[in-house]
Amino acid sequence: MITAAEKKAQDTPQILLLSVIVSLFWFCQYVYIPYQTVYLSGIGSAPTLIGVVTGAYGFTQLILRLPLGVAADRRGRHRLFIMLGIFSAGTASLFRIFLPNESGFFLGNLFSGFASATWISFMILFFSHFQESSLQKASGLIVGANNLGIFLGFSMGTLLYRHFGMHLLCVLSAAAALPALFLSLFVTEPSHERQAPPVRDLLKICTDRRLILFSLLALIQQGVQISTSMSFTAQAAQARGADSTQIGLCSVIYIVAAVLSSYFAASKASQKLGPSFWIPVILACLTLYCLLIPNLPNIEWFYPTQILSGLSTGILFSFCTSEAMKNIPSKTKSTAMGFYQSVYAAGMTALPVVTGALTSTFGLRSAFYSLAGLTAVGLDGAIVYYCNRRGTDFGRRSGTEDTPK
């Protein structure tokens, strides 16, 4: 009989393999991101159009993530989806290489969005190598591998963009897909035989109130992140006289904070206080970030402020993910993950477009204040949820204690 410890030891090589693939995948997806807005602005693109191009990345995810989740649950297999995602990520940068304008980046972002839609399979397969009680640890580790790949991409971009431009970054993006695709051939899946559940039964999980709440909180976090740290924060820094190296450094500081906080979220230390503490606290940090960015006097102030955004990517997102997936039956996990990711993809699609439109009409300060207001709404929702839950738990304990033996 195989013990739990032996099973964990057997899974370790696959956990490491998937972690490397995840890092390469997200390097491919993000190496050019810190300079996308700067590049498009430099070739004469209006802020509204930049918002549309940026939002295209979330649009494909919004359309495809739930269907891909249902398909993964019905097939019970994830490696094919992982390979398709890696291939699509590499193909996306070919559009940017051979069509280096708004159209090429728009098409590239659509393909990148499809690639990110397959993130469902990366996560569910990774989670399958952990026990149910270690879901938060698994979430922190895979988000950490995700952010590590982005960190490597941002660092490479900072070193190379000023001297070699966007073209080389897109070449590196396409090239990173090759080793990731090769390594995916060695991914194995847990053996199981089961009858494919009906689609109607799978979709019932989308009415789960806990899943809906944390999907909406992830919508705020991801939408604000892609509208600020991944795009318009660079424009705010540029307005303070920042050059390409300084803009890149802002992105590197942000992603270092994200990587470190992701692994912190996987630790026992973070779990002592739990999601009821960390989710409201980090939402407050993200609100503060949106208020500060348009008011910072010079580029030097941007550097420490980026840490606030990085904490939201590392801690807030990983806790939202584990909270959303808690108590979800294994047979519907891919569908639930597809719903979760589709909801936050709506934020990744809409918020950059809205931010671009507000920036064009009212200026960058008004756009960031609007994002701060939205984040504050999420903060209020999280506080109300955990206060009500605490009251319910207390009532249950009291009821149990008062019940005659």
PDB file of all heavy atoms in Angstrom, residues 139-155:
ATOM      1  N   SER A 139      -1.820  26.461  -4.473  1.00  0.00           N
ATOM      2  CA  SER A 139      -2.157  27.716  -5.152  1.00  0.00           C
ATOM      3  C   SER A 139      -1.007  28.703  -5.071  1.00  0.00           C
ATOM      4  O   SER A 139      -0.636  29.335  -6.072  1.00  0.00           O
ATOM      5  CB  SER A 139      -3.426  28.311  -4.523  1.00  0.00           C
ATOM      6  OG  SER A 139      -3.767  29.527  -5.131  1.00  0.00           O
ATOM      7  N   GLY A 140      -0.407  28.839  -3.883  1.00  0.00           N
ATOM      8  CA  GLY A 140       0.722  29.753  -3.727  1.00  0.00           C
ATOM      9  C   GLY A 140       1.918  29.347  -4.570  1.00  0.00           C
ATOM     10  O   GLY A 140       2.587  30.193  -5.178  1.00  0.00           O
ATOM     11  N   LEU A 141       2.178  28.024  -4.660  1.00  0.00           N
ATOM     12  CA  LEU A 141       3.338  27.547  -5.424  1.00  0.00           C
ATOM     13  C   LEU A 141       3.173  27.770  -6.922  1.00  0.00           C
ATOM     14  O   LEU A 141       4.111  28.202  -7.605  1.00  0.00           O
ATOM     15  CB  LEU A 141       3.576  26.062  -5.133  1.00  0.00           C
ATOM     16  CG  LEU A 141       4.114  25.721  -3.743  1.00  0.00           C
ATOM     17  CD1 LEU A 141       4.178  24.209  -3.544  1.00  0.00           C
ATOM     18  CD2 LEU A 141       5.492  26.346  -3.526  1.00  0.00           C
ATOM     19  N   ILE A 142       1.972  27.492  -7.452  1.00  0.00           N
ATOM     20  CA  ILE A 142       1.815  27.654  -8.902  1.00  0.00           C
ATOM     21  C   ILE A 142       1.734  29.127  -9.274  1.00  0.00           C
ATOM     22  O   ILE A 142       2.255  29.543 -10.322  1.00  0.00           O
ATOM     23  CB  ILE A 142       0.607  26.859  -9.442  1.00  0.00           C
ATOM     24  CG1 ILE A 142       0.699  26.780 -10.977  1.00  0.00           C
ATOM     25  CG2 ILE A 142      -0.717  27.452  -8.986  1.00  0.00           C
ATOM     26  CD1 ILE A 142      -0.272  25.817 -11.611  1.00  0.00           C
ATOM     27  N   VAL A 143       1.126  29.949  -8.432  1.00  0.00           N
ATOM     28  CA  VAL A 143       1.134  31.397  -8.689  1.00  0.00           C
ATOM     29  C   VAL A 143       2.558  31.926  -8.577  1.00  0.00           C
ATOM     30  O   VAL A 143       2.969  32.820  -9.322  1.00  0.00           O
ATOM     31  CB  VAL A 143       0.172  32.128  -7.725  1.00  0.00           C
ATOM     32  CG1 VAL A 143       0.333  33.647  -7.844  1.00  0.00           C
ATOM     33  CG2 VAL A 143      -1.280  31.744  -8.027  1.00  0.00           C
ATOM     34  N   GLY A 144       3.355  31.328  -7.664  1.00  0.00           N
ATOM     35  CA  GLY A 144       4.767  31.712  -7.549  1.00  0.00           C
ATOM     36  C   GLY A 144       5.545  31.383  -8.812  1.00  0.00           C
ATOM     37  O   GLY A 144       6.341  32.194  -9.301  1.00  0.00           O
ATOM     38  N   ALA A 145       5.324  30.174  -9.377  1.00  0.00           N
ATOM     39  CA  ALA A 145       5.987  29.794 -10.628  1.00  0.00           C
ATOM     40  C   ALA A 145       5.535  30.699 -11.772  1.00  0.00           C
ATOM     41  O   ALA A 145       6.342  31.097 -12.634  1.00  0.00           O
ATOM     42  CB  ALA A 145       5.677  28.331 -10.960  1.00  0.00           C
ATOM     43  N   ASN A 146       4.268  31.028 -11.782  1.00  0.00           N
ATOM     44  CA  ASN A 146       3.709  31.980 -12.753  1.00  0.00           C
ATOM     45  C   ASN A 146       4.456  33.312 -12.666  1.00  0.00           C
ATOM     46  O   ASN A 146       4.976  33.839 -13.669  1.00  0.00           O
ATOM     47  CB  ASN A 146       2.215  32.124 -12.424  1.00  0.00           C
ATOM     48  CG  ASN A 146       1.520  33.293 -13.091  1.00  0.00           C
ATOM     49  OD1 ASN A 146       2.124  34.110 -13.771  1.00  0.00           O
ATOM     50  ND2 ASN A 146       0.228  33.396 -12.878  1.00  0.00           N
ATOM     51  N   ASN A 147       4.535  33.860 -11.456  1.00  0.00           N
ATOM     52  CA  ASN A 147       5.171  35.170 -11.271  1.00  0.00           C
ATOM     53  C   ASN A 147       6.674  35.129 -11.487  1.00  0.00           C
ATOM     54  O   ASN A 147       7.277  36.125 -11.895  1.00  0.00           O
ATOM     55  CB  ASN A 147       4.843  35.711  -9.876  1.00  0.00           C
ATOM     56  CG  ASN A 147       3.401  36.159  -9.757  1.00  0.00           C
ATOM     57  OD1 ASN A 147       2.820  36.652 -10.724  1.00  0.00           O
ATOM     58  ND2 ASN A 147       2.808  35.963  -8.605  1.00  0.00           N
ATOM     59  N   LEU A 148       7.302  33.971 -11.221  1.00  0.00           N
ATOM     60  CA  LEU A 148       8.732  33.833 -11.487  1.00  0.00           C
ATOM     61  C   LEU A 148       9.013  33.963 -12.985  1.00  0.00           C
ATOM     62  O   LEU A 148       9.965  34.637 -13.401  1.00  0.00           O
ATOM     63  CB  LEU A 148       9.244  32.485 -10.970  1.00  0.00           C
ATOM     64  CG  LEU A 148      10.725  32.188 -11.195  1.00  0.00           C
ATOM     65  CD1 LEU A 148      11.600  33.236 -10.505  1.00  0.00           C
ATOM     66  CD2 LEU A 148      11.074  30.790 -10.704  1.00  0.00           C
ATOM     67  N   GLY A 149       8.163  33.336 -13.805  1.00  0.00           N
ATOM     68  CA  GLY A 149       8.308  33.470 -15.261  1.00  0.00           C
ATOM     69  C   GLY A 149       8.130  34.906 -15.713  1.00  0.00           C
ATOM     70  O   GLY A 149       8.866  35.402 -16.578  1.00  0.00           O
ATOM     71  N   ILE A 150       7.152  35.588 -15.119  1.00  0.00           N
ATOM     72  CA  ILE A 150       6.926  36.996 -15.462  1.00  0.00           C
ATOM     73  C   ILE A 150       8.117  37.851 -15.021  1.00  0.00           C
ATOM     74  O   ILE A 150       8.552  38.755 -15.738  1.00  0.00           O
ATOM     75  CB  ILE A 150       5.617  37.500 -14.818  1.00  0.00           C
ATOM     76  CG1 ILE A 150       4.421  36.718 -15.381  1.00  0.00           C
ATOM     77  CG2 ILE A 150       5.419  38.992 -15.082  1.00  0.00           C
ATOM     78  CD1 ILE A 150       3.104  37.036 -14.693  1.00  0.00           C
ATOM     79  N   PHE A 151       8.656  37.550 -13.825  1.00  0.00           N
ATOM     80  CA  PHE A 151       9.840  38.273 -13.338  1.00  0.00           C
ATOM     81  C   PHE A 151      11.008  38.130 -14.313  1.00  0.00           C
ATOM     82  O   PHE A 151      11.680  39.114 -14.646  1.00  0.00           O
ATOM     83  CB  PHE A 151      10.242  37.748 -11.956  1.00  0.00           C
ATOM     84  CG  PHE A 151      11.643  38.096 -11.550  1.00  0.00           C
ATOM     85  CD1 PHE A 151      11.985  39.400 -11.237  1.00  0.00           C
ATOM     86  CD2 PHE A 151      12.633  37.119 -11.503  1.00  0.00           C
ATOM     87  CE1 PHE A 151      13.283  39.728 -10.871  1.00  0.00           C
ATOM     88  CE2 PHE A 151      13.926  37.434 -11.147  1.00  0.00           C
ATOM     89  CZ  PHE A 151      14.255  38.744 -10.833  1.00  0.00           C
ATOM     90  N   LEU A 152      11.267  36.906 -14.769  1.00  0.00           N
ATOM     91  CA  LEU A 152      12.362  36.688 -15.724  1.00  0.00           C
ATOM     92  C   LEU A 152      12.106  37.454 -17.015  1.00  0.00           C
ATOM     93  O   LEU A 152      13.027  38.036 -17.606  1.00  0.00           O
ATOM     94  CB  LEU A 152      12.517  35.194 -16.009  1.00  0.00           C
ATOM     95  CG  LEU A 152      12.967  34.331 -14.817  1.00  0.00           C
ATOM     96  CD1 LEU A 152      12.919  32.852 -15.178  1.00  0.00           C
ATOM     97  CD2 LEU A 152      14.367  34.722 -14.367  1.00  0.00           C
ATOM     98  N   GLY A 153      10.850  37.482 -17.454  1.00  0.00           N
ATOM     99  CA  GLY A 153      10.504  38.235 -18.661  1.00  0.00           C
ATOM    100  C   GLY A 153      10.699  39.726 -18.476  1.00  0.00           C
ATOM    101  O   GLY A 153      11.289  40.408 -19.336  1.00  0.00           O
ATOM    102  N   PHE A 154      10.227  40.255 -17.357  1.00  0.00           N
ATOM    103  CA  PHE A 154      10.372  41.689 -17.091  1.00  0.00           C
ATOM    104  C   PHE A 154      11.849  42.078 -16.984  1.00  0.00           C
ATOM    105  O   PHE A 154      12.265  43.136 -17.464  1.00  0.00           O
ATOM    106  CB  PHE A 154       9.650  42.060 -15.804  1.00  0.00           C
ATOM    107  CG  PHE A 154       8.150  42.157 -15.945  1.00  0.00           C
ATOM    108  CD1 PHE A 154       7.515  41.829 -17.131  1.00  0.00           C
ATOM    109  CD2 PHE A 154       7.361  42.581 -14.884  1.00  0.00           C
ATOM    110  CE1 PHE A 154       6.139  41.922 -17.261  1.00  0.00           C
ATOM    111  CE2 PHE A 154       5.987  42.684 -14.993  1.00  0.00           C
ATOM    112  CZ  PHE A 154       5.371  42.350 -16.192  1.00  0.00           C
ATOM    113  N   SER A 155      12.647  41.216 -16.312  1.00  0.00           N
ATOM    114  CA  SER A 155      14.076  41.509 -16.163  1.00  0.00           C
ATOM    115  C   SER A 155      14.764  41.528 -17.522  1.00  0.00           C
ATOM    116  O   SER A 155      15.576  42.431 -17.813  1.00  0.00           O
ATOM    117  CB  SER A 155      14.732  40.465 -15.257  1.00  0.00           C
ATOM    118  OG  SER A 155      14.147  40.468 -13.980  1.00  0.00           O
TER     119      SER A 155
END
